[in-house]
Amino acid sequence: MSSGFMTWFTTVDSILPFFGAHVLLAIGLGYTQPSSTVRPLLLLLIIAFCLISVRSTVSRSIPGEIGGEYVIGFIFHASHFLCLAKLSPPPKSTERGRWTWSTNQLFEARWGISTKILPSWPKRSKDAIPSIATDKDILALTSIDKDTKTARSSTGPDSTRGLIPSRQAFLLRRTWDLAWTISIIWLLKSNRLLIYPDDITSVPHGFLHRLADITPREAFIRVYFTFLGWVIPYCTLRAGHSLAGCICVLCGDLPERWPPLFGSIGDAYTIRRFYALFWHHLMRKAFTSHAVFIVNKVLHLPRNNPVSRYLIIILTFLISAGLHLAAGMALSECVVYAQTRYFFSIAAVIILEDAVIWLYKSKFSSSALPADDPRRTLWRLVGYSWVAFFHVWSSSKTTFSSFCCAHPDL
């Protein structure tokens, strides 16, 4: 009987267990005590259901592997909700109120960030305070210095520079977002560059030590892989967020509960700022809560400590590596190494950036350059070039390594 179950478990192709995982999480949140031993058991069932659904045709059909990542990400959020944050309904809630509250936790515009932290659309840009500036668990990933915090008060994925749109304006704007993002995905998917296996297998994976030997075709392929690797997930996530926002607002939700998913790319002139201010925060709370638990509860390191903050950054990106590996069901040794190396390099570069910025400010000046100073524009251009170069290097190196792992005979 057990062998038959395992055969079914490894061969079933259905997304339905994922919806069952949502029901289990809603029941666990609404009808169990925060410290109940039932919650870990529910989490185990949620993990099993998600591992079934991550292999489904439906999840794999979503561009950019976003479907599988969303399914695996749900496990981390369930763990955070049930076992780490131990969320529970407000006291004296009715039965209907408990169910409404618990289901609302599953369909928030920002997973895992409470309404006290999540900002609504600000009336003016100076009022926008993204969640990362106030959530203590993830401040370590985003805080650099006073200048950065000041800049972050008006920018970021959870803020906006415009007034709160009307319901009609919101629906029109998000419908347009849905249209152009799907169009870009279709365009990129239907017009792929013709790449031969020899284009990848005949060259070393890295290129920092051989910049002078890189051919124009290799350089173009590396940039092309990097472009696809970021633009398709960006468009998929933005399209999904726009569709969800339209559905919820049509069902009566308020537009201010659905602020933009991504920040301004103009703020991404360091790797830290790329992830803190531009890239989405859908999984950040789930990742950082587990990293904080390891650092504070397992290793017993103090919270407000540089070692703790940087260790949280490293663990956060390693957890992200685990999500991407599980979502792609790619568990061969060389693929695990390539993905882990990629995400660890992001954390390492953030630490390096902080060290360089600290050394520069301690030696030259700790004050920010005036907005009209030409040097400010120059440094921004240097920063944008650095971010682009790092992504091309790290992303293409990982893509080349993963391809060779998948085709060892070539």
Side-chain angles (χ1 to χ4, degrees), residues 86-102:
K86 298 183 178 180
L87 300 182
S88 61
K92 299 181 179 180
S93 297
T94 63
E95 289 298 312
R96 181 177 180 180
R98 283 175 173 271
W99 181 254
T100 301
W101 176 88
S102 59

Side-chain angles (χ1 to χ4, degrees), residues 211-260:
L211 290 175
D213 299 327
I214 294 179
T215 64
R217 179 167 176 80
E218 180 190 345
F220 183 81
I221 289 174
R222 290 184 180 275
V223 173
Y224 174 76
F225 278 148
T226 303
F227 180 78
L228 286 185
W230 285 104
V231 173
I232 290 182
Y234 172 89
C235 290
T236 303
L237 286 165
R238 185 157 180 169
H241 185 262
S242 297
L243 178 61
C246 287
I247 293 173
C248 289
V249 170
L250 285 172
C251 292
D253 207 355
L254 298 175
E256 53 262 38
R257 281 172 44 83
W258 291 86

Side-chain angles (χ1 to χ4, degrees), residues 195 200-201 204-206 221-230 335 338-339 341-342 391-407:
I195 298 176
I200 298 176
T201 58
H205 301 162
I221 289 174
R222 290 184 180 275
V223 173
Y224 174 76
F225 278 148
T226 303
F227 180 78
L228 286 185
W230 285 104
V335 173
Q339 287 286 346
R341 178 187 61 194
Y342 168 69
H391 282 312
V392 171
W393 168 73
S394 58
S395 298
S396 66
K397 183 180 178 68
T398 304
T399 302
F400 276 43
S401 298
S402 299
F403 180 87
C404 292
C405 287
H407 305 86

Side-chain angles (χ1 to χ4, degrees), residues 53-328:
S53 295
V54 74
R55 300 190 304 270
S56 67
T57 304
V58 174
S59 67
R60 290 181 176 276
S61 65
I62 300 175
E65 297 186 354
I66 297 301
E69 293 169 9
Y70 186 89
V71 172
I72 298 299
F74 186 82
I75 296 175
F76 287 97
H77 282 288
S79 174
H80 167 68
F81 287 164
L82 291 173
C83 302
L84 297 183
K86 298 183 178 180
L87 300 182
S88 61
K92 299 181 179 180
S93 297
T94 63
E95 289 298 312
R96 181 177 180 180
R98 283 175 173 271
W99 181 254
T100 301
W101 176 88
S102 59
T103 53
N104 282 342
Q105 306 311 305
L106 310 184
F107 301 103
E108 286 285 347
R110 295 292 186 276
W111 250 354
I113 298 178
S114 69
T115 54
K116 292 183 179 180
I117 297 175
L118 174 67
S120 59
W121 296 69
K123 294 183 179 180
R124 297 179 181 83
S125 61
K126 66 180 182 180
D127 298 328
I129 304 177
S131 61
I132 53 175
T134 56
D135 188 354
K136 294 180 181 179
D137 285 348
I138 54 181
L139 184 61
L141 187 60
T142 55
S143 61
I144 300 175
D145 50 37
K146 294 181 179 179
D147 297 329
T148 305
K149 292 179 182 178
T150 301
R152 189 165 59 243
S153 67
S154 61
T155 59
D158 295 324
S159 66
T160 180
R161 297 178 176 83
L163 299 175
I164 298 174
S166 65
R167 192 176 298 271
Q168 181 180 6
F170 175 89
L171 292 172
L172 288 173
R173 184 181 303 175
R174 293 304 168 85
T175 302
W176 167 243
D177 276 358
L178 189 61
W180 71 258
T181 50
I182 291 178
S183 297
I184 289 178
I185 293 172
W186 174 83
L187 185 65
L188 293 175
K189 288 281 190 178
S190 58
N191 296 275
R192 286 189 174 275
L193 179 69
L194 181 59
I195 298 176
Y196 301 98
D198 190 58
D199 289 325
I200 298 176
T201 58
S202 64
V203 298
H205 301 162
F207 63 87
L208 289 179
H209 60 287
R210 44 183 288 273
L211 290 175
D213 299 327
I214 294 179
T215 64
R217 179 167 176 80
E218 180 190 345
F220 183 81
I221 289 174
R222 290 184 180 275
V223 173
Y224 174 76
F225 278 148
T226 303
F227 180 78
L228 286 185
W230 285 104
V231 173
I232 290 182
Y234 172 89
C235 290
T236 303
L237 286 165
R238 185 157 180 169
H241 185 262
S242 297
L243 178 61
C246 287
I247 293 173
C248 289
V249 170
L250 285 172
C251 292
D253 207 355
L254 298 175
E256 53 262 38
R257 281 172 44 83
W258 291 86
L261 183 62
F262 292 90
S264 170
I265 189 64
D267 294 325
Y269 49 85
T270 66
I271 299 301
R272 181 190 279 272
R273 293 176 67 92
F274 179 91
Y275 288 99
L277 302 181
F278 166 66
W279 200 240
H280 71 90
H281 293 168
L282 288 177
M283 300 294 175
R284 175 168 293 170
K285 182 64 177 180
F287 291 168
T288 54
S289 63
H290 288 83
V292 168
F293 177 81
I294 294 172
V295 171
N296 297 152
K297 302 300 182 181
V298 178
L299 301 179
H300 301 289
L301 296 177
R303 291 181 66 92
N304 298 320
N305 180 283
V307 175
S308 299
R309 290 197 296 269
Y310 285 117
L311 188 56
I312 289 171
I313 292 175
I314 294 172
L315 289 174
T316 296
F317 281 104
L318 290 180
I319 292 171
S320 182
L323 175 141
H324 286 81
L325 287 168

